[in-house]
Amino acid sequence: MQQDAEVASGVLVVRASGAAAARAALTGSPSTPQSVQLLMRCPVHRSVPGNTHVFGDCSLHVLPVGTIMLTVPEAKLSTGFTDLRRLMFQPVEVGEGLRTAFSSAVGHVLAARDVLDPVGVAHHLVGLAEMVLRSALRDELERADIATGHRRAALEHIRAHLGDPSLTPGEVAKALNISLRRLYQVFEGEPNVAERIKMLRIDRAKALLADPAKADRGVGEISRDCGFVSATHFSRAFRALVGQPPTDYRRHALPR
């Protein structure tokens, strides 16, 4: 779990309070936490003491590293905990406008903490948490939709150019007009772009090797059709992924 002192500038960290709630969030069990914590870098006037300020059933914890932890009851949030799991226990990038709104609201509450009604402030803090969470969740969903579109476009481009030996992750990124770093992020959690290109080339090679209509074509010719620069490179890659040389695969795949 990310520690309080490690909350980077420009990100939001959402946590559930208590060890049981943390396990529930990570394992996907139906349990919900008693409270939800929002951590974000927020400039606070030096006159505000660095400790916990309680307002009814909500609190603002001022950390010495410039981070504010807002804790609100989960039951008072209209955003379900199932939806919030997308944000839990990971740094979520938030825009400058949202950071400014959060910082301003927290700053005003802390500056006037001694004269404000605690119950009224609690309602205000729940609304603030709701605004931040809904905005961050919307942005995450939009980023996910964009990533899905980039992934689909990347796979379409790769399949359309498998026979081109110059097909590389850099060429794919250029064709999609995105950075190479962004392209690798799109495929995060699965085989990377270079591996995906190789896997799709091997899949095409398997289909060609098993096609009776292509039985008169040599392995070298098929390897070139799949974008491999040499038959040796093709055989090595094929054996690594399939577990046998392409000639053996063809012998067993073709109908007798």
Side-chain angles (χ1 to χ4, degrees), residues 6 8 32 38 60 82 109 122 141 158 163 172 196 211 223 231 233:
E6 296 175 350
T32 55
L38 291 74
L60 287 169
T82 300
V109 166
L141 291 174
I158 290 170
V172 176
R196 183 55 62 96
D211 187 351
S223 72
H233 181 209

Side-chain angles (χ1 to χ4, degrees), residues 90-112:
Q90 60 179 333
V92 178
E93 294 183 14
V94 292
E96 182 179 356
L98 184 57
R99 296 198 306 272
T100 300
F102 179 82
S103 176
S104 176
V106 168
H108 283 105
V109 166
L110 291 176

Side-chain angles (χ1 to χ4, degrees), residues 38 70 72-80 84 98 123-137:
L38 291 74
L70 167 60
V72 298
E74 189 278 336
K76 289 192 174 182
L77 295 172
S78 64
T79 308
L84 291 180
L98 184 57
H123 286 292
H124 175 65
L125 293 178
V126 170
L128 176 62
E130 193 86 58
M131 179 194 72
V132 172
L133 291 171
R134 284 184 173 274
S135 299
L137 185 60

Side-chain angles (χ1 to χ4, degrees), residues 107-121:
H108 283 105
V109 166
L110 291 176
R113 65 193 181 281
D114 295 331
V115 298
L116 296 176
D117 174 68
V119 177
V121 173

Side-chain angles (χ1 to χ4, degrees), residues 229-251:
V229 295
S230 70
T232 301
H233 181 209
F234 167 63
S235 296
R236 188 182 302 116
F238 193 96
R239 182 193 287 269
L241 286 179
V242 182
Q244 58 182 324
T247 51
D248 291 353
Y249 179 87
R250 167 178 262 179
R251 185 168 59 252

Side-chain angles (χ1 to χ4, degrees), residues 169-189:
E171 193 276 330
V172 176
K174 184 177 180 180
L176 270 60
N177 197 29
I178 61 176
S179 68
L180 184 59
R181 179 174 178 270
R182 178 59 183 155
L183 180 63
Y184 273 97
Q185 288 176 340
V186 166
F187 286 90
E188 192 172 8

